[in-house]
Amino acid sequence: MGESSEQPTGALRTLSGMTVAAPSNSTVIAPRSESGRTQPVYLDCNATTPVDPRVQAEVLTYLAEEFGNAGSRTHVYGQAAKERVNLARRQVAKVVDARPDEVIFTSGATESNNMAVLGLTTHGERSGSRHIISTQIEHKAVLEPLEEMARRGFEVTLLPPTAGGWVEPDAVLAALRPDTLLVSVMAANNETGVLQPIPEIANALVSSPAYFHVDAAQAFGKQIEALRHHRIDLLSISGHKLHAPKGIGALVTRRRGYQRLPLSPLQFGGGQERGLRPGTLPVALIAGLGTAASLALREYTEREQYCARLRDEALKAFEPLGVTLNGDSSRTASHILNLSVPGVDSEAAIVALKNLVAISNGSACTSQSYEPSHVLIAAGLPEEQVSGALRLSWSYMTPAVDWEAVVDRLQLLRHQIP
């Protein structure tokens, strides 16, 4: 399927119990269970997003109809698969103004982050560049590979954020050394939604040979210009944060002039993806990511406006509760809100709201057993504020939210607490 298959039809589609509006207003009616009971509104899009029906249709096509192996060069089935993979590279690359052959498909941002960090080990050892700069508020998918680098003899500097939740470019510049191998800073924090000053950091690194990695799992397709800065060497992407399926992502590896980055593979066997990520390409998932990327770029303004409107409605509704926002609201992405309700514990709030909205109190990767947010602790927030933090995140597919009912339930909960 080509680009034309992604054009909006202007009609409603029914899929898996949801009625999905055309891209012109990009909203959904709240899904219902088979029993007809209305489900809570899903407000945990930072954990994962629902798959866009247009993306699902593309995935199913390359599962059931165009099922060829992109590595099969002797027949039309393989050729069709290869052409779709190449189209997806162009679609992903276009979002961040990269070259298609700079896109390496992976299983998701975690693998991309590991490849970006650990993949530079050999080069760092050979060149004598054994210093890495990152931040205390990164996702575990970056912090844990950095811990492994430290075990391998690299020195890792983790910069603290401001109280507002971002890292100052001057702090990055001050930490730079002649032997700095890598600077890794996320684009948008997965817990607070605070946007890091990526363009400013990129500008600060212009005269440094250090490689610049950006974990863009929460920002790809949602922040456009900031991620197009050509000083960004490595950029990690997650499909399921962009309404594509789970299990697919990418690592953008920008050339420096004509020179490819000195990444070493973490796996071996097959030679796919320029030898950096061997294994049969999951064509259907790649097609889904490509479609999601293309739609995100085309519908960016509309989606941003809708998410901002939801955020404004939420902030206005929460005013009577006297909530504290965790993260500078002037620097926060429009689809994320992290707040603490005075006198209300986050775990109790999640339970009280469970039939109204589906929310969380932190990263899905660490939420199986509650631990205080390392992001909020790093920002120096008081213990009570940290323990009461709630994360709400939405998208263009989120239906209208009954914020008044949410606030009433939290008010009732607060009055019940002795």
Side-chain angles (χ1 to χ4, degrees):
M1 299 178 72
E3 294 272 333
S4 61
S5 66
E6 300 164 10
Q7 297 300 317
T9 63
L12 291 173
R13 305 181 189 180
T14 301
L15 184 71
S16 301
M18 292 193 298
T19 302
V20 183
S24 57
N25 57 11
S26 298
T27 59
V28 300
I29 297 172
R32 294 179 178 272
S33 66
E34 292 182 0
S35 65
R37 178 176 59 86
T38 300
Q39 297 292 305
V41 176
Y42 183 73
L43 294 179
D44 200 17
C45 286
N46 271 26
T48 195
T49 55
V51 175
D52 188 298
R54 295 164 291 177
V55 173
Q56 186 186 59
E58 187 79 347
V59 171
L60 291 177
T61 295
Y62 284 87
L63 280 174
E65 299 175 26
E66 299 289 352
F67 52 81
N69 186 328
S72 298
R73 60 179 179 81
T74 59
H75 48 67
V76 295
Y77 296 93
Q79 186 61 34
K82 182 179 179 180
E83 288 175 358
R84 188 59 186 91
V85 169
N86 289 339
L87 172 59
R89 286 194 208 281
R90 296 195 298 271
Q91 291 170 318
V92 170
K94 187 176 180 180
V95 177
V96 294
D97 193 29
R99 300 170 181 171
D101 66 350
E102 294 173 335
V103 176
I104 304 296
F105 290 115
T106 68
S107 62
T110 295
E111 183 182 356
S112 297
N113 289 336
N114 274 263
M115 188 182 296
V117 175
L118 299 175
L120 287 171
T121 302
T122 300
H123 176 72
E125 291 171 341
R126 289 175 177 172
S127 65
S129 300
R130 290 178 169 270
H131 178 235
I132 300 173
I133 300 171
S134 190
T135 82
Q136 296 176 8
I137 60 173
E138 299 299 307
H139 191 279
K140 296 293 186 182
V142 168
L143 292 176
E144 292 187 10
L146 290 177
E147 291 174 1
E148 175 60 25
M149 292 294 277
R151 283 191 287 270
R152 297 181 183 186
F154 287 78
E155 184 180 350
V156 179
T157 299
L158 295 180
L159 302 174
T162 65
W166 74 91
V167 171
E168 291 284 7
D170 286 346
V172 175
L173 190 59
L176 276 175
R177 303 187 333 204
D179 65 338
T180 299
L181 169 69
L182 175 71
V183 175
S184 181
V185 181
M186 63 180 8
N189 187 264
N190 55 297
E191 294 192 31
T192 64
V194 174
L195 301 173
Q196 301 305 306
I198 296 301
E200 292 81 0
I201 294 173
N203 289 336
L205 293 174
V206 166
S207 60
S208 170
Y211 296 102
F212 185 25
H213 167 242
V214 174
D215 178 0
Q218 298 290 350
F220 178 77
K222 301 169 188 176
Q223 303 294 320
I224 304 299
E225 292 306 319
L227 301 183
R228 289 182 161 179
H229 199 299
H230 279 222
R231 183 57 185 82
I232 299 173
D233 298 294
L234 297 150
L235 189 140
S236 300
I237 298 166
S238 173
H240 76 101
K241 305 299 171 66
L242 194 69
H243 305 277
K246 300 171 184 66
I248 187 64
L251 178 66
V252 176
T253 61
R254 292 188 197 274
R255 290 194 191 98
R256 289 187 171 181
Y258 295 103
Q259 194 170 29
R260 294 191 184 277
L261 303 189
L263 292 174
S264 298
L266 306 183
Q267 304 173 60
F268 301 89
Q272 292 89 345
E273 300 301 272
R274 300 204 320 269
L276 288 175
R277 209 276 182 171
T280 301
L281 294 175
V283 178
L285 297 181
I286 289 171
L289 177 59
T291 300
S294 180
L295 291 170
L297 184 59
R298 189 169 71 224
E299 299 173 5
Y300 166 74
T301 300
E302 178 186 357
R303 294 182 184 189
E304 177 69 14
Q305 291 172 347
Y306 182 72
C307 288
R309 186 162 70 249
L310 276 180
R311 179 180 170 82
D312 290 343
E313 292 172 358
L315 289 172
K316 184 176 181 180
F318 281 120
E319 283 180 0
L321 290 173
V323 301
T324 301
L325 299 182
N326 301 318
D328 187 329
S329 60
S330 69
R331 292 175 174 259
T332 303
S334 63
H335 63 285
I336 309 172
L337 188 62
N338 192 305
L339 55 83
S340 299
V341 182
V344 175
D345 177 76
S346 64
E347 294 280 296
I350 290 170
V351 173
L353 295 171
K354 67 180 182 179
N355 66 335
L356 290 176
V357 290
I359 61 175
S360 69
N361 55 2
S363 172
C365 297
T366 56
S367 62
Q368 295 304 309
S369 59
Y370 176 72
E371 296 179 2
S373 164
H374 73 280
V375 173
L376 302 184
I377 290 173
L381 302 186
E383 182 179 346
E384 183 179 355
Q385 189 173 331
V386 173
S387 64
L390 297 170
R391 185 185 72 178
L392 299 80
S393 50
W394 48 83
S395 78
Y396 66 95
M397 293 182 69
T398 302
V401 181
D402 188 350
W403 294 114
E404 184 177 348
V406 171
V407 171
D408 288 345
R409 190 71 58 86
L410 290 173
Q411 288 275 32
L412 180 63
L413 177 63
R414 185 157 61 181
H415 292 153
Q416 291 174 343
I417 296 175

